mmCIF file of all heavy atoms in Angstrom:
data_model
loop_
_atom_site.group_PDB
_atom_site.id
_atom_site.type_symbol
_atom_site.label_atom_id
_atom_site.label_comp_id
_atom_site.label_asym_id
_atom_site.label_seq_id
_atom_site.Cartn_x
_atom_site.Cartn_y
_atom_site.Cartn_z
ATOM 1 N N THR O 98 44.340 -68.033 -37.277
ATOM 2 C CA THR O 98 45.323 -66.987 -37.405
ATOM 3 C C THR O 98 46.692 -67.527 -37.779
ATOM 4 O O THR O 98 47.356 -67.065 -38.727
ATOM 5 C CB THR O 98 45.414 -66.161 -36.098
ATOM 6 O OG1 THR O 98 44.133 -65.627 -35.813
ATOM 7 C CG2 THR O 98 46.424 -65.024 -36.202
ATOM 8 N N GLU O 99 47.117 -68.568 -37.065
ATOM 9 C CA GLU O 99 48.415 -69.215 -37.327
ATOM 10 C C GLU O 99 48.524 -69.797 -38.723
ATOM 11 O O GLU O 99 49.534 -69.693 -39.404
ATOM 12 C CB GLU O 99 48.709 -70.271 -36.289
ATOM 13 C CG GLU O 99 49.100 -69.756 -34.938
ATOM 14 C CD GLU O 99 49.241 -70.866 -33.887
ATOM 15 O OE1 GLU O 99 49.138 -72.075 -34.271
ATOM 16 O OE2 GLU O 99 49.422 -70.523 -32.727
ATOM 17 N N LYS O 100 47.446 -70.480 -39.156
ATOM 18 C CA LYS O 100 47.458 -71.178 -40.442
ATOM 19 C C LYS O 100 46.936 -70.319 -41.598
ATOM 20 O O LYS O 100 46.869 -70.775 -42.714
ATOM 21 C CB LYS O 100 46.619 -72.471 -40.372
ATOM 22 C CG LYS O 100 47.054 -73.421 -39.287
ATOM 23 C CD LYS O 100 48.326 -74.119 -39.679
ATOM 24 C CE LYS O 100 48.653 -75.204 -38.651
ATOM 25 N NZ LYS O 100 49.905 -75.900 -38.956
ATOM 26 N N ARG O 101 46.543 -69.078 -41.292
ATOM 27 C CA ARG O 101 45.996 -68.146 -42.290
ATOM 28 C C ARG O 101 44.792 -68.749 -43.009
ATOM 29 O O ARG O 101 44.706 -68.751 -44.219
ATOM 30 C CB ARG O 101 47.065 -67.712 -43.261
ATOM 31 C CG ARG O 101 48.183 -66.947 -42.626
ATOM 32 C CD ARG O 101 49.154 -66.433 -43.688
ATOM 33 N NE ARG O 101 50.156 -65.544 -43.142
ATOM 34 C CZ ARG O 101 49.978 -64.219 -42.911
ATOM 35 N NH1 ARG O 101 48.841 -63.662 -43.152
ATOM 36 N NH2 ARG O 101 50.960 -63.502 -42.426
ATOM 37 N N LEU O 102 43.865 -69.225 -42.198
ATOM 38 C CA LEU O 102 42.651 -69.845 -42.712
ATOM 39 C C LEU O 102 41.488 -68.871 -42.476
ATOM 40 O O LEU O 102 41.438 -68.167 -41.514
ATOM 41 C CB LEU O 102 42.322 -71.130 -41.992
ATOM 42 C CG LEU O 102 43.389 -72.238 -41.998
ATOM 43 C CD1 LEU O 102 42.975 -73.357 -41.082
ATOM 44 C CD2 LEU O 102 43.581 -72.731 -43.405
ATOM 45 N N ARG O 103 40.553 -68.898 -43.421
ATOM 46 C CA ARG O 103 39.331 -68.107 -43.263
ATOM 47 C C ARG O 103 38.108 -68.966 -43.019
ATOM 48 O O ARG O 103 37.083 -68.481 -42.605
ATOM 49 C CB ARG O 103 39.091 -67.264 -44.507
ATOM 50 C CG ARG O 103 40.164 -66.225 -44.712
ATOM 51 C CD ARG O 103 39.864 -65.384 -45.948
ATOM 52 N NE ARG O 103 40.963 -64.461 -46.178
ATOM 53 C CZ ARG O 103 41.244 -63.936 -47.346
ATOM 54 N NH1 ARG O 103 40.508 -64.235 -48.396
ATOM 55 N NH2 ARG O 103 42.258 -63.117 -47.492
ATOM 56 N N HIS O 104 38.256 -70.266 -43.278
ATOM 57 C CA HIS O 104 37.119 -71.212 -43.135
ATOM 58 C C HIS O 104 37.632 -72.495 -42.457
ATOM 59 O O HIS O 104 38.723 -72.956 -42.805
ATOM 60 C CB HIS O 104 36.531 -71.549 -44.489
ATOM 61 C CG HIS O 104 36.072 -70.309 -45.222
ATOM 62 N ND1 HIS O 104 36.889 -69.621 -46.065
ATOM 63 C CD2 HIS O 104 34.907 -69.658 -45.214
ATOM 64 C CE1 HIS O 104 36.235 -68.572 -46.533
ATOM 65 N NE2 HIS O 104 35.043 -68.579 -46.031
ATOM 66 N N LEU O 105 36.813 -73.031 -41.597
ATOM 67 C CA LEU O 105 37.184 -74.198 -40.832
ATOM 68 C C LEU O 105 36.016 -75.177 -40.753
ATOM 69 O O LEU O 105 35.021 -74.891 -40.118
ATOM 70 C CB LEU O 105 37.602 -73.754 -39.430
ATOM 71 C CG LEU O 105 38.505 -74.569 -38.551
ATOM 72 C CD1 LEU O 105 39.805 -74.959 -39.264
ATOM 73 C CD2 LEU O 105 38.845 -73.822 -37.303
ATOM 74 N N PRO O 106 36.153 -76.326 -41.432
ATOM 75 C CA PRO O 106 35.117 -77.341 -41.326
ATOM 76 C C PRO O 106 35.044 -77.924 -39.898
ATOM 77 O O PRO O 106 36.064 -78.037 -39.211
ATOM 78 C CB PRO O 106 35.512 -78.446 -42.289
ATOM 79 C CG PRO O 106 36.515 -77.743 -43.218
ATOM 80 C CD PRO O 106 37.181 -76.725 -42.371
ATOM 81 N N VAL O 107 33.818 -78.241 -39.479
ATOM 82 C CA VAL O 107 33.608 -78.841 -38.146
ATOM 83 C C VAL O 107 33.162 -80.279 -38.372
ATOM 84 O O VAL O 107 32.175 -80.527 -39.061
ATOM 85 C CB VAL O 107 32.551 -78.043 -37.363
ATOM 86 C CG1 VAL O 107 32.327 -78.661 -35.986
ATOM 87 C CG2 VAL O 107 32.897 -76.573 -37.266
ATOM 88 N N LEU O 108 33.940 -81.185 -37.771
ATOM 89 C CA LEU O 108 33.680 -82.617 -37.941
ATOM 90 C C LEU O 108 33.327 -83.266 -36.597
ATOM 91 O O LEU O 108 34.015 -83.049 -35.618
ATOM 92 C CB LEU O 108 34.889 -83.352 -38.527
ATOM 93 C CG LEU O 108 35.386 -82.924 -39.895
ATOM 94 C CD1 LEU O 108 36.656 -83.691 -40.231
ATOM 95 C CD2 LEU O 108 34.343 -83.170 -40.932
ATOM 96 N N ASP O 109 32.271 -84.069 -36.612
ATOM 97 C CA ASP O 109 31.957 -84.893 -35.470
ATOM 98 C C ASP O 109 32.402 -86.300 -35.869
ATOM 99 O O ASP O 109 31.718 -86.997 -36.595
ATOM 100 C CB ASP O 109 30.460 -84.856 -35.212
ATOM 101 C CG ASP O 109 30.106 -85.514 -33.870
ATOM 102 O OD1 ASP O 109 31.016 -85.971 -33.166
ATOM 103 O OD2 ASP O 109 28.888 -85.533 -33.566
ATOM 104 N N GLY O 110 33.589 -86.676 -35.402
ATOM 105 C CA GLY O 110 34.227 -87.890 -35.897
ATOM 106 C C GLY O 110 34.677 -87.670 -37.310
ATOM 107 O O GLY O 110 35.517 -86.821 -37.570
ATOM 108 N N THR O 111 34.107 -88.389 -38.237
ATOM 109 C CA THR O 111 34.417 -88.179 -39.645
ATOM 110 C C THR O 111 33.272 -87.508 -40.383
ATOM 111 O O THR O 111 33.359 -87.229 -41.617
ATOM 112 C CB THR O 111 34.744 -89.502 -40.355
ATOM 113 O OG1 THR O 111 33.587 -90.379 -40.241
ATOM 114 C CG2 THR O 111 35.954 -90.170 -39.766
ATOM 115 N N LYS O 112 32.178 -87.184 -39.696
ATOM 116 C CA LYS O 112 31.007 -86.579 -40.317
ATOM 117 C C LYS O 112 31.079 -85.048 -40.280
ATOM 118 O O LYS O 112 31.237 -84.425 -39.209
ATOM 119 C CB LYS O 112 29.733 -87.058 -39.583
ATOM 120 C CG LYS O 112 28.457 -86.552 -40.218
ATOM 121 C CD LYS O 112 27.298 -87.123 -39.430
ATOM 122 C CE LYS O 112 25.914 -86.789 -39.842
ATOM 123 N NZ LYS O 112 25.561 -85.859 -40.694
ATOM 124 N N LEU O 113 30.919 -84.455 -41.433
ATOM 125 C CA LEU O 113 30.878 -82.995 -41.551
ATOM 126 C C LEU O 113 29.597 -82.487 -40.990
ATOM 127 O O LEU O 113 28.512 -82.899 -41.415
ATOM 128 C CB LEU O 113 31.000 -82.587 -43.028
ATOM 129 C CG LEU O 113 30.918 -81.112 -43.344
ATOM 130 C CD1 LEU O 113 32.125 -80.348 -42.758
ATOM 131 C CD2 LEU O 113 30.824 -80.884 -44.856
ATOM 132 N N ILE O 114 29.670 -81.583 -39.989
ATOM 133 C CA ILE O 114 28.439 -81.065 -39.387
ATOM 134 C C ILE O 114 28.289 -79.535 -39.582
ATOM 135 O O ILE O 114 27.244 -79.004 -39.248
ATOM 136 C CB ILE O 114 28.319 -81.424 -37.893
ATOM 137 C CG1 ILE O 114 29.448 -80.854 -37.078
ATOM 138 C CG2 ILE O 114 28.187 -82.926 -37.706
ATOM 139 C CD1 ILE O 114 29.240 -80.920 -35.568
ATOM 140 N N GLY O 115 29.322 -78.894 -40.048
ATOM 141 C CA GLY O 115 29.229 -77.463 -40.253
ATOM 142 C C GLY O 115 30.542 -76.867 -40.706
ATOM 143 O O GLY O 115 31.558 -77.556 -40.850
ATOM 144 N N MET O 116 30.498 -75.537 -40.887
ATOM 145 C CA MET O 116 31.673 -74.784 -41.295
ATOM 146 C C MET O 116 31.595 -73.424 -40.601
ATOM 147 O O MET O 116 30.518 -72.825 -40.566
ATOM 148 C CB MET O 116 31.723 -74.604 -42.827
ATOM 149 C CG MET O 116 32.812 -73.702 -43.282
ATOM 150 S SD MET O 116 34.140 -74.582 -44.073
ATOM 151 C CE MET O 116 33.453 -74.861 -45.703
ATOM 152 N N ILE O 117 32.690 -73.024 -39.992
ATOM 153 C CA ILE O 117 32.722 -71.707 -39.404
ATOM 154 C C ILE O 117 33.758 -70.869 -40.184
ATOM 155 O O ILE O 117 34.715 -71.392 -40.724
ATOM 156 C CB ILE O 117 33.072 -71.739 -37.876
ATOM 157 C CG1 ILE O 117 34.423 -72.374 -37.623
ATOM 158 C CG2 ILE O 117 31.962 -72.431 -37.116
ATOM 159 C CD1 ILE O 117 34.927 -72.194 -36.212
ATOM 160 N N SER O 118 33.496 -69.594 -40.173
ATOM 161 C CA SER O 118 34.420 -68.658 -40.820
ATOM 162 C C SER O 118 35.061 -67.782 -39.761
ATOM 163 O O SER O 118 34.571 -67.715 -38.615
ATOM 164 C CB SER O 118 33.655 -67.774 -41.823
ATOM 165 O OG SER O 118 32.805 -66.904 -41.173
ATOM 166 N N ILE O 119 36.099 -67.078 -40.137
ATOM 167 C CA ILE O 119 36.729 -66.127 -39.244
ATOM 168 C C ILE O 119 35.719 -65.058 -38.847
ATOM 169 O O ILE O 119 35.676 -64.626 -37.715
ATOM 170 C CB ILE O 119 38.008 -65.552 -39.859
ATOM 171 C CG1 ILE O 119 38.899 -64.874 -38.781
ATOM 172 C CG2 ILE O 119 37.730 -64.602 -41.004
ATOM 173 C CD1 ILE O 119 39.678 -65.843 -37.971
ATOM 174 N N GLY O 120 34.820 -64.731 -39.777
ATOM 175 C CA GLY O 120 33.769 -63.752 -39.477
ATOM 176 C C GLY O 120 32.807 -64.228 -38.432
ATOM 177 O O GLY O 120 32.359 -63.457 -37.593
ATOM 178 N N ASP O 121 32.473 -65.543 -38.451
ATOM 179 C CA ASP O 121 31.612 -66.123 -37.389
ATOM 180 C C ASP O 121 32.255 -65.988 -36.050
ATOM 181 O O ASP O 121 31.601 -65.615 -35.060
ATOM 182 C CB ASP O 121 31.351 -67.603 -37.685
ATOM 183 C CG ASP O 121 30.579 -67.890 -38.936
ATOM 184 O OD1 ASP O 121 29.755 -67.009 -39.334
ATOM 185 O OD2 ASP O 121 30.775 -68.976 -39.517
ATOM 186 N N LEU O 122 33.570 -66.234 -35.964
ATOM 187 C CA LEU O 122 34.274 -66.121 -34.677
ATOM 188 C C LEU O 122 34.338 -64.683 -34.197
ATOM 189 O O LEU O 122 34.078 -64.403 -33.035
ATOM 190 C CB LEU O 122 35.718 -66.695 -34.830
ATOM 191 C CG LEU O 122 35.813 -68.186 -34.919
ATOM 192 C CD1 LEU O 122 37.203 -68.602 -35.331
ATOM 193 C CD2 LEU O 122 35.454 -68.835 -33.595
#
Side-chain angles (χ1 to χ4, degrees):
T98 302
E99 286 174 5
K100 303 286 186 182
R101 297 186 172 277
L102 303 172
R103 294 181 185 158
H104 304 90
L105 202 52
V107 181
L108 299 176
D109 190 1
T111 59
K112 183 179 180 347
L113 177 67
I114 61 167
M116 174 106 79
I117 60 169
S118 69
I119 196 80
D121 295 331
L122 286 168

